[in-house]
Amino acid sequence: MTDVLRRGRASLAFGFFAQGVAFALLVTRIPAIQDRYGVSDALLPAFLAAVPILAGVGSVSTEKLVKRIPPSRVLRWSQPVVLLALLGVGAGESMAELGVALGAFGLAVGALDASMNMLGVSLQRAYGRSIMLSFHAVFSLGGIVGASLAWVGAHWDLALFVSYLPVVAVLLPVALVGSRWYVDGGAEPVVEKEDSEGGGVAFKLLLPLCLVMTFAYIGDSTVSNWSAKYLQDVLGSSEQLATVPYNVYMVTTLLGRAIGDFGVRRLGAVVVVRVGAVVAALGFAVVAVAPGAWVGMLGFTLLGLGLCVLVPQTFAAAGRLFPGASDAAVARLNVFNYVGFLIGSPLVGALGDAWSYRGAMLVPMVLVLVTLVYARSFDAQSDRYGGGHERPRTADVGRGSNGL
Protein backbone atom coordinates (compact mmCIF):
# COMPACT_ATOMS: atom_id res chain seq x y z
CA MET A 1 0.00 0.00 0.00
CA THR A 2 1.56 3.28 -1.14
CA ASP A 3 1.72 6.61 0.64
CA VAL A 4 -0.17 8.11 -2.32
CA LEU A 5 -3.11 5.85 -1.62
CA ARG A 6 -3.04 6.47 2.11
CA ARG A 7 -2.96 10.23 1.67
CA GLY A 8 -5.67 10.01 -0.97
CA ARG A 9 -7.89 8.01 1.34
CA ALA A 10 -7.36 10.36 4.29
CA SER A 11 -8.00 13.51 2.26
CA LEU A 12 -11.12 12.06 0.65
CA ALA A 13 -12.39 10.96 4.07
CA PHE A 14 -12.10 14.54 5.27
CA GLY A 15 -14.11 15.64 2.23
CA PHE A 16 -16.89 13.24 3.25
CA PHE A 17 -16.70 14.53 6.83
CA ALA A 18 -16.94 18.18 5.77
CA GLN A 19 -19.94 17.43 3.58
CA GLY A 20 -21.67 15.63 6.46
CA VAL A 21 -21.15 18.65 8.71
CA ALA A 22 -22.39 21.14 6.09
CA PHE A 23 -25.49 19.14 5.18
CA ALA A 24 -26.48 18.61 8.81
CA LEU A 25 -26.02 22.32 9.59
CA LEU A 26 -28.41 23.17 6.79
CA VAL A 27 -31.20 20.65 7.35
CA THR A 28 -31.25 20.87 11.16
CA ARG A 29 -31.65 24.67 11.09
CA ILE A 30 -34.53 24.77 8.61
CA PRO A 31 -36.94 26.27 11.19
CA ALA A 32 -34.43 29.05 11.91
CA ILE A 33 -33.92 29.65 8.18
CA GLN A 34 -37.69 29.81 7.73
CA ASP A 35 -38.01 32.37 10.52
CA ARG A 36 -35.11 34.50 9.28
CA TYR A 37 -36.49 34.88 5.77
CA GLY A 38 -40.20 34.73 6.57
CA VAL A 39 -40.78 31.66 4.39
CA SER A 40 -44.36 30.47 4.82
CA ASP A 41 -45.27 26.84 5.48
CA ALA A 42 -46.87 26.72 2.03
CA LEU A 43 -43.71 27.98 0.30
CA LEU A 44 -41.18 26.02 2.34
CA PRO A 45 -41.67 22.68 0.46
CA ALA A 46 -40.83 24.43 -2.83
CA PHE A 47 -37.54 25.71 -1.40
CA LEU A 48 -36.72 22.30 0.08
CA ALA A 49 -37.59 20.43 -3.14
CA ALA A 50 -35.46 22.78 -5.25
CA VAL A 51 -32.26 21.68 -3.50
CA PRO A 52 -32.38 17.95 -4.46
CA ILE A 53 -33.70 18.80 -7.93
CA LEU A 54 -30.75 21.10 -8.58
CA ALA A 55 -28.45 18.54 -6.99
CA GLY A 56 -29.64 16.05 -9.59
CA VAL A 57 -28.77 18.58 -12.29
CA GLY A 58 -25.35 19.02 -10.71
CA SER A 59 -24.78 15.26 -10.67
CA VAL A 60 -25.71 14.88 -14.35
CA SER A 61 -23.48 17.83 -15.25
CA THR A 62 -20.60 16.21 -13.39
CA GLU A 63 -20.83 13.16 -15.65
CA LYS A 64 -20.12 15.50 -18.58
CA LEU A 65 -17.43 17.45 -16.74
CA VAL A 66 -15.33 14.44 -15.79
CA LYS A 67 -14.89 13.58 -19.47
CA ARG A 68 -12.72 16.71 -19.69
CA ILE A 69 -11.35 17.21 -16.18
CA PRO A 70 -10.57 14.71 -13.40
CA PRO A 71 -13.17 14.15 -10.63
CA SER A 72 -10.65 15.44 -8.08
CA ARG A 73 -10.81 18.88 -9.64
CA VAL A 74 -14.61 18.88 -9.57
CA LEU A 75 -14.52 17.92 -5.89
CA ARG A 76 -11.78 20.43 -5.09
CA TRP A 77 -13.88 23.39 -6.22
CA SER A 78 -17.41 22.16 -5.52
CA GLN A 79 -16.72 21.67 -1.81
CA PRO A 80 -15.80 25.33 -1.20
CA VAL A 81 -18.92 26.38 -3.12
CA VAL A 82 -21.07 24.21 -0.83
CA LEU A 83 -19.49 25.73 2.28
CA LEU A 84 -19.74 29.30 0.98
CA ALA A 85 -23.35 28.71 -0.09
CA LEU A 86 -24.11 27.52 3.43
CA LEU A 87 -22.60 30.75 4.73
CA GLY A 88 -24.72 32.64 2.20
CA VAL A 89 -27.86 31.02 3.61
CA GLY A 90 -26.94 32.47 6.99
CA ALA A 91 -25.91 35.89 5.68
CA GLY A 92 -28.77 36.82 3.34
CA GLU A 93 -31.59 39.22 4.07
CA SER A 94 -34.18 38.68 1.32
CA MET A 95 -35.99 35.64 0.00
CA ALA A 96 -34.26 36.13 -3.36
CA GLU A 97 -30.87 35.87 -1.65
CA LEU A 98 -32.02 32.68 0.07
CA GLY A 99 -33.07 31.27 -3.29
CA VAL A 100 -29.68 32.04 -4.83
CA ALA A 101 -27.80 30.53 -1.89
CA LEU A 102 -29.90 27.36 -1.84
CA GLY A 103 -29.62 27.09 -5.63
CA ALA A 104 -25.83 27.28 -5.45
CA PHE A 105 -25.86 24.80 -2.57
CA GLY A 106 -27.99 22.31 -4.53
CA LEU A 107 -25.95 22.46 -7.75
CA ALA A 108 -22.66 22.20 -5.87
CA VAL A 109 -23.90 19.34 -3.66
CA GLY A 110 -24.79 17.31 -6.75
CA ALA A 111 -21.31 17.78 -8.17
CA LEU A 112 -19.77 17.14 -4.76
CA ASP A 113 -21.69 13.93 -4.05
CA ALA A 114 -20.97 12.54 -7.51
CA SER A 115 -17.26 13.37 -7.56
CA MET A 116 -16.69 12.18 -3.96
CA ASN A 117 -18.20 8.80 -4.72
CA MET A 118 -16.31 8.58 -8.02
CA LEU A 119 -13.05 8.99 -6.14
CA GLY A 120 -14.21 6.55 -3.46
CA VAL A 121 -15.02 3.88 -6.04
CA SER A 122 -11.68 4.33 -7.83
CA LEU A 123 -9.76 4.22 -4.52
CA GLN A 124 -11.55 1.03 -3.53
CA ARG A 125 -10.53 -0.50 -6.84
CA ALA A 126 -6.93 0.55 -6.22
CA TYR A 127 -6.98 -0.85 -2.66
CA GLY A 128 -8.41 -4.14 -3.89
CA ARG A 129 -10.72 -4.45 -0.90
CA SER A 130 -13.90 -2.86 0.43
CA ILE A 131 -13.29 0.62 1.88
CA MET A 132 -16.37 2.46 0.58
CA LEU A 133 -18.34 2.06 3.78
CA SER A 134 -15.60 3.77 5.76
CA PHE A 135 -16.03 6.96 3.71
CA HIS A 136 -19.76 7.01 4.38
CA ALA A 137 -19.07 6.29 8.06
CA VAL A 138 -17.05 9.50 8.19
CA PHE A 139 -19.94 11.30 6.46
CA SER A 140 -22.24 10.04 9.24
CA LEU A 141 -19.74 11.27 11.83
CA GLY A 142 -19.79 14.67 10.16
CA GLY A 143 -23.57 14.64 10.31
CA ILE A 144 -23.49 13.99 14.05
CA VAL A 145 -20.96 16.79 14.56
CA GLY A 146 -22.99 19.17 12.39
CA ALA A 147 -26.23 18.37 14.20
CA SER A 148 -24.50 18.90 17.54
CA LEU A 149 -23.14 22.27 16.42
CA ALA A 150 -26.60 23.20 15.19
CA TRP A 151 -27.99 22.34 18.63
CA VAL A 152 -25.39 24.61 20.23
CA GLY A 153 -26.36 27.44 17.88
CA ALA A 154 -30.04 26.99 18.62
CA HIS A 155 -29.48 26.61 22.37
CA TRP A 156 -27.50 29.83 22.59
CA ASP A 157 -29.82 31.57 20.12
CA LEU A 158 -26.95 32.41 17.76
CA ALA A 159 -27.65 34.05 14.42
CA LEU A 160 -27.27 31.66 11.51
CA PHE A 161 -24.28 33.55 10.12
CA VAL A 162 -22.56 33.53 13.51
CA SER A 163 -23.28 29.81 13.85
CA TYR A 164 -22.02 28.94 10.36
CA LEU A 165 -18.98 31.23 10.06
CA PRO A 166 -16.56 29.41 12.43
CA VAL A 167 -17.41 26.05 10.85
CA VAL A 168 -16.79 27.30 7.32
CA ALA A 169 -13.64 29.13 8.42
CA VAL A 170 -12.19 25.84 9.73
CA LEU A 171 -13.44 23.36 7.13
CA LEU A 172 -12.84 25.33 3.93
CA PRO A 173 -9.05 25.84 4.14
CA VAL A 174 -8.47 22.31 5.44
CA ALA A 175 -10.53 20.88 2.58
CA LEU A 176 -8.59 22.93 0.03
CA VAL A 177 -5.22 21.85 1.42
CA GLY A 178 -6.34 18.23 1.65
CA SER A 179 -7.49 18.27 -1.97
CA ARG A 180 -3.82 18.28 -3.02
CA TRP A 181 -3.71 14.56 -2.27
CA TYR A 182 -6.88 13.34 -3.98
CA VAL A 183 -6.19 10.29 -6.16
CA ASP A 184 -7.92 9.98 -9.51
CA GLY A 185 -8.93 6.90 -11.44
CA GLY A 186 -7.14 3.72 -12.29
CA ALA A 187 -5.11 2.30 -15.13
CA GLU A 188 -8.02 0.41 -16.69
CA PRO A 189 -8.96 1.91 -20.06
CA VAL A 190 -12.06 4.07 -20.13
CA VAL A 191 -14.22 1.75 -22.21
CA GLU A 192 -17.89 1.76 -21.36
CA LYS A 193 -19.86 -1.47 -21.10
CA GLU A 194 -22.43 -1.52 -23.88
CA ASP A 195 -25.83 -3.06 -24.16
CA SER A 196 -26.92 -5.10 -27.16
CA GLU A 197 -27.87 -1.96 -29.07
CA GLY A 198 -24.60 -0.17 -28.37
CA GLY A 199 -24.19 3.09 -26.50
CA GLY A 200 -22.61 3.97 -23.20
CA VAL A 201 -23.38 2.72 -19.70
CA ALA A 202 -26.33 0.39 -20.25
CA PHE A 203 -29.20 1.70 -18.20
CA LYS A 204 -30.92 -1.68 -18.09
CA LEU A 205 -27.85 -3.04 -16.25
CA LEU A 206 -27.70 -0.02 -13.93
CA LEU A 207 -31.47 0.05 -13.27
CA PRO A 208 -31.50 -2.49 -10.37
CA LEU A 209 -28.91 -0.40 -8.53
CA CYS A 210 -30.89 2.78 -9.26
CA LEU A 211 -33.95 1.18 -7.67
CA VAL A 212 -31.99 0.08 -4.61
CA MET A 213 -30.59 3.62 -4.24
CA THR A 214 -34.08 5.10 -4.50
CA PHE A 215 -35.57 2.69 -1.97
CA ALA A 216 -32.71 3.27 0.47
CA TYR A 217 -33.19 7.04 0.38
CA ILE A 218 -36.96 6.69 0.72
CA GLY A 219 -36.21 4.82 3.93
CA ASP A 220 -33.62 7.37 5.05
CA SER A 221 -35.86 10.38 4.34
CA THR A 222 -38.69 8.66 6.22
CA VAL A 223 -36.53 8.53 9.33
CA SER A 224 -35.12 12.04 9.00
CA ASN A 225 -38.46 13.71 8.27
CA TRP A 226 -40.97 11.67 10.24
CA SER A 227 -39.27 9.98 13.20
CA ALA A 228 -39.88 12.87 15.64
CA LYS A 229 -43.50 13.39 14.56
CA TYR A 230 -44.18 9.65 14.65
CA LEU A 231 -42.80 9.21 18.15
CA GLN A 232 -44.67 12.21 19.52
CA ASP A 233 -48.01 12.00 17.68
CA VAL A 234 -48.41 8.24 17.22
CA LEU A 235 -46.47 6.74 20.13
CA GLY A 236 -47.23 9.50 22.62
CA SER A 237 -43.70 10.50 23.61
CA SER A 238 -42.68 13.85 25.03
CA GLU A 239 -41.29 16.55 22.73
CA GLN A 240 -37.80 16.04 24.18
CA LEU A 241 -37.89 12.27 23.70
CA ALA A 242 -39.12 12.72 20.14
CA THR A 243 -35.76 14.24 19.19
CA VAL A 244 -33.89 11.10 20.22
CA PRO A 245 -34.72 8.61 17.40
CA TYR A 246 -32.89 10.53 14.67
CA ASN A 247 -29.80 10.88 16.87
CA VAL A 248 -29.94 7.16 17.61
CA TYR A 249 -30.38 6.47 13.90
CA MET A 250 -27.30 8.56 13.04
CA VAL A 251 -25.16 6.88 15.69
CA THR A 252 -26.15 3.36 14.61
CA THR A 253 -25.56 4.37 10.98
CA LEU A 254 -22.05 5.41 11.94
CA LEU A 255 -21.42 2.17 13.83
CA GLY A 256 -22.81 -0.01 11.05
CA ARG A 257 -20.69 1.69 8.41
CA ALA A 258 -17.60 1.60 10.60
CA ILE A 259 -17.69 -2.21 10.71
CA GLY A 260 -19.41 -2.76 7.36
CA ASP A 261 -16.25 -3.00 5.26
CA PHE A 262 -15.04 -5.85 7.46
CA GLY A 263 -18.33 -7.65 6.80
CA VAL A 264 -17.97 -7.19 3.04
CA ARG A 265 -14.42 -8.57 3.12
CA ARG A 266 -15.44 -11.59 5.16
CA LEU A 267 -18.88 -12.37 3.73
CA GLY A 268 -19.12 -10.55 0.40
CA ALA A 269 -21.23 -7.61 -0.70
CA VAL A 270 -24.31 -9.69 -1.55
CA VAL A 271 -24.63 -11.12 1.96
CA VAL A 272 -24.08 -7.74 3.61
CA VAL A 273 -26.71 -6.07 1.40
CA ARG A 274 -29.23 -8.85 2.03
CA VAL A 275 -28.69 -8.70 5.79
CA GLY A 276 -28.94 -4.91 5.73
CA ALA A 277 -32.23 -5.02 3.81
CA VAL A 278 -33.74 -7.58 6.20
CA VAL A 279 -32.64 -5.66 9.30
CA ALA A 280 -34.01 -2.39 7.86
CA ALA A 281 -37.33 -4.04 7.00
CA LEU A 282 -37.50 -5.46 10.52
CA GLY A 283 -36.87 -1.96 11.86
CA PHE A 284 -39.80 -0.54 9.90
CA ALA A 285 -42.00 -3.41 11.10
CA VAL A 286 -41.08 -2.76 14.73
CA VAL A 287 -41.81 0.96 14.29
CA ALA A 288 -45.19 0.18 12.69
CA VAL A 289 -46.39 -2.10 15.52
CA ALA A 290 -44.60 -0.43 18.44
CA PRO A 291 -46.87 -0.06 21.49
CA GLY A 292 -44.82 2.79 22.91
CA ALA A 293 -41.94 5.19 22.41
CA TRP A 294 -39.11 2.97 23.65
CA VAL A 295 -40.04 0.09 21.33
CA GLY A 296 -40.31 2.65 18.53
CA MET A 297 -36.76 3.77 19.25
CA LEU A 298 -35.64 0.16 19.01
CA GLY A 299 -37.12 0.10 15.53
CA PHE A 300 -35.28 3.25 14.50
CA THR A 301 -32.07 1.73 15.89
CA LEU A 302 -32.53 -1.31 13.65
CA LEU A 303 -33.20 1.02 10.71
CA GLY A 304 -29.84 2.71 11.20
CA LEU A 305 -28.01 -0.62 11.31
CA GLY A 306 -29.80 -1.92 8.22
CA LEU A 307 -30.03 1.05 5.86
CA CYS A 308 -26.46 2.21 6.48
CA VAL A 309 -24.84 -0.39 4.22
CA LEU A 310 -27.10 -0.03 1.19
CA VAL A 311 -26.00 3.29 -0.31
CA PRO A 312 -22.19 2.82 -0.08
CA GLN A 313 -22.45 -0.70 -1.47
CA THR A 314 -24.67 0.49 -4.30
CA PHE A 315 -22.03 3.00 -5.42
CA ALA A 316 -19.35 0.32 -5.09
CA ALA A 317 -21.42 -2.14 -7.14
CA ALA A 318 -21.83 0.42 -9.93
CA GLY A 319 -18.06 0.81 -10.07
CA ARG A 320 -17.61 -2.96 -10.32
CA LEU A 321 -20.35 -3.36 -12.91
CA PHE A 322 -18.80 -0.71 -15.19
CA PRO A 323 -15.08 -0.82 -14.35
CA GLY A 324 -14.12 1.20 -17.42
CA ALA A 325 -16.91 3.75 -17.03
CA SER A 326 -17.36 3.94 -13.28
CA ASP A 327 -17.45 7.76 -13.20
CA ALA A 328 -20.44 7.88 -15.55
CA ALA A 329 -22.19 5.06 -13.69
CA VAL A 330 -21.71 6.75 -10.31
CA ALA A 331 -22.94 10.12 -11.61
CA ARG A 332 -26.11 8.58 -13.04
CA LEU A 333 -26.71 6.45 -9.97
CA ASN A 334 -26.25 9.48 -7.71
CA VAL A 335 -29.31 11.14 -9.28
CA PHE A 336 -31.51 8.46 -7.69
CA ASN A 337 -30.23 9.55 -4.29
CA TYR A 338 -32.26 12.74 -4.80
CA VAL A 339 -35.18 10.91 -6.39
CA GLY A 340 -35.58 8.83 -3.24
CA PHE A 341 -35.28 11.93 -1.06
CA LEU A 342 -37.97 13.73 -3.07
CA ILE A 343 -40.35 10.77 -2.98
CA GLY A 344 -39.89 9.57 0.60
CA SER A 345 -41.16 12.42 2.72
CA PRO A 346 -44.28 13.32 0.67
CA LEU A 347 -45.12 9.63 0.25
CA VAL A 348 -45.19 8.92 3.98
CA GLY A 349 -47.01 12.18 4.70
CA ALA A 350 -49.73 11.50 2.12
CA LEU A 351 -50.23 7.92 3.29
CA GLY A 352 -50.26 9.01 6.91
CA ASP A 353 -52.97 11.60 6.28
CA ALA A 354 -55.06 9.36 4.04
CA TRP A 355 -54.61 6.11 5.95
CA SER A 356 -52.43 5.97 9.09
CA TYR A 357 -48.83 6.67 9.94
CA ARG A 358 -48.42 3.13 11.21
CA GLY A 359 -49.56 1.82 7.85
CA ALA A 360 -47.35 4.33 6.05
CA MET A 361 -44.27 2.78 7.66
CA LEU A 362 -45.05 -0.51 5.93
CA VAL A 363 -44.52 1.00 2.47
CA PRO A 364 -40.79 1.77 2.86
CA MET A 365 -40.52 -1.63 4.58
CA VAL A 366 -41.78 -3.37 1.44
CA LEU A 367 -39.60 -1.22 -0.83
CA VAL A 368 -36.48 -2.05 1.19
CA LEU A 369 -37.33 -5.76 0.96
CA VAL A 370 -37.41 -5.44 -2.83
CA THR A 371 -33.65 -4.95 -2.53
CA LEU A 372 -33.41 -8.70 -1.93
CA VAL A 373 -34.59 -9.28 -5.50
CA TYR A 374 -31.70 -7.22 -6.85
CA ALA A 375 -29.01 -8.41 -4.44
CA ARG A 376 -27.18 -10.37 -7.14
CA SER A 377 -26.44 -7.06 -8.88
CA PHE A 378 -23.91 -6.44 -6.10
CA ASP A 379 -21.95 -9.57 -7.08
CA ALA A 380 -20.26 -8.22 -10.23
CA GLN A 381 -16.59 -9.26 -10.26
CA SER A 382 -17.05 -10.98 -6.92
CA ASP A 383 -13.72 -12.72 -7.39
CA ARG A 384 -12.14 -9.36 -6.72
CA TYR A 385 -14.35 -8.17 -3.89
CA GLY A 386 -15.99 -11.28 -2.53
CA GLY A 387 -15.64 -12.25 1.08
CA GLY A 388 -12.11 -13.19 1.99
CA HIS A 389 -10.77 -13.37 -1.56
CA GLU A 390 -9.56 -9.86 -2.20
CA ARG A 391 -6.07 -9.13 -3.42
CA PRO A 392 -4.44 -5.71 -3.27
CA ARG A 393 -4.23 -4.05 -6.68
CA THR A 394 -2.07 -1.01 -6.17
CA ALA A 395 -0.81 -1.20 -9.72
CA ASP A 396 -3.98 0.38 -11.09
CA VAL A 397 -3.62 3.62 -9.14
CA GLY A 398 -3.99 6.59 -11.43
CA ARG A 399 -2.47 9.97 -11.04
CA GLY A 400 -2.17 11.83 -7.76
CA SER A 401 -3.79 15.25 -7.99
CA ASN A 402 -1.32 17.99 -7.14
CA GLY A 403 -1.58 21.68 -6.64
CA LEU A 404 -4.49 24.01 -6.00
Side-chain angles (χ1 to χ4, degrees):
M1 196 56 59
T2 67
D3 288 339
V4 170
L5 282 181
R6 292 191 184 95
R7 287 195 297 267
R9 184 177 180 180
S11 59
L12 182 59
F14 183 82
F16 272 88
F17 173 81
Q19 171 60 356
V21 174
F23 188 76
L25 280 171
L26 178 72
V27 299
T28 56
R29 297 305 307 273
I30 286 174
I33 294 169
Q34 188 177 7
D35 291 342
R36 176 179 178 83
Y37 291 95
V39 180
S40 66
D41 290 339
L43 190 58
L44 182 62
F47 275 93
L48 297 182
V51 174
I53 290 171
L54 289 171
V57 174
S59 185
V60 172
S61 301
T62 299
E63 179 188 347
K64 309 299 181 184
L65 278 174
V66 296
K67 294 178 180 178
R68 298 174 176 84
I69 61 177
S72 63
R73 196 172 301 170
V74 178
L75 176 55
R76 175 179 300 153
W77 297 115
S78 60
Q79 190 140 55
V81 174
V82 167
L83 293 170
L84 291 174
L86 176 68
L87 197 59
V89 169
E93 298 291 341
S94 69
M95 204 171 295
E97 290 173 320
L98 175 64
V100 170
L102 287 178
F105 188 92
L107 287 170
V109 158
L112 178 69
D113 286 346
S115 57
M116 277 198 315
N117 284 290
M118 289 174 187
L119 292 179
V121 166
S122 64
L123 264 177
Q124 175 165 282
R125 183 166 58 240
Y127 263 73
R129 66 176 187 269
S130 178
I131 61 171
M132 197 67 182
L133 278 154
S134 67
F135 292 126
H136 286 260
V138 176
F139 176 87
S140 297
L141 177 61
I144 294 170
V145 171
S148 301
L149 292 173
W151 180 89
V152 171
H155 180 74
W156 291 101
D157 199 25
L158 299 177
L160 285 172
F161 182 79
V162 174
S163 181
Y164 290 163
L165 180 60
V167 178
V168 174
V170 171
L171 293 182
L172 196 153
V174 177
L176 279 174
V177 172
S179 69
R180 296 175 59 90
W181 295 286
Y182 291 152
V183 176
D184 281 299
E188 298 180 41
V190 181
V191 179
E192 297 186 348
K193 182 174 286 191
E194 299 183 355
D195 60 20
S196 58
E197 298 177 355
V201 174
F203 184 70
K204 66 183 180 183
L205 296 178
L206 191 62
L207 180 59
L209 299 179
C210 295
L211 292 174
V212 172
M213 180 71 77
T214 302
F215 299 156
Y217 270 98
I218 288 175
D220 181 81
S221 65
T222 298
V223 178
S224 59
N225 289 292
W226 293 102
S227 59
K229 180 178 177 62
Y230 187 88
L231 216 71
Q232 188 170 354
D233 294 355
V234 178
L235 301 183
S237 77
S238 65
E239 183 178 355
Q240 290 79 10
L241 190 60
T243 64
V244 174
Y246 185 68
N247 289 329
V248 171
Y249 173 77
M250 289 296 294
V251 171
T252 52
T253 295
L254 171 62
L255 293 175
R257 287 174 171 173
I259 64 174
D261 283 321
F262 177 76
V264 173
R265 295 167 196 164
R266 295 289 297 175
L267 304 173
V270 174
V271 173
V272 169
V273 167
R274 283 175 173 163
V275 170
V278 170
V279 171
L282 179 61
F284 276 118
V286 170
V287 169
V289 302
W294 290 103
V295 176
M297 280 196 285
L298 172 62
F300 287 114
T301 300
L302 293 173
L303 279 171
L305 292 173
L307 289 176
C308 69
V309 301
L310 299 184
V311 171
Q313 282 306 301
T314 304
F315 279 121
R320 295 195 295 270
L321 189 62
F322 299 95
S326 62
D327 288 350
V330 167
R332 297 180 196 183
L333 181 61
N334 188 55
V335 173
F336 290 86
N337 160 354
Y338 312 117
V339 171
F341 187 85
L342 282 170
I343 292 174
S345 182
L347 175 66
V348 171
L351 289 172
D353 291 339
W355 180 23
S356 74
Y357 282 99
R358 287 187 183 272
M361 291 295 164
L362 298 177
V363 175
M365 180 193 77
V366 172
L367 293 177
V368 168
L369 282 175
V370 174
T371 297
L372 297 175
V373 177
Y374 302 118
R376 295 304 302 176
S377 298
F378 292 80
D379 198 30
Q381 296 187 359
S382 59
D383 61 317
R384 181 180 299 174
Y385 293 93
H389 297 290
E390 298 166 349
R391 292 181 300 275
R393 296 178 66 253
T394 57
D396 65 351
V397 181
R399 53 197 179 278
S401 178
N402 296 310
L404 296 177

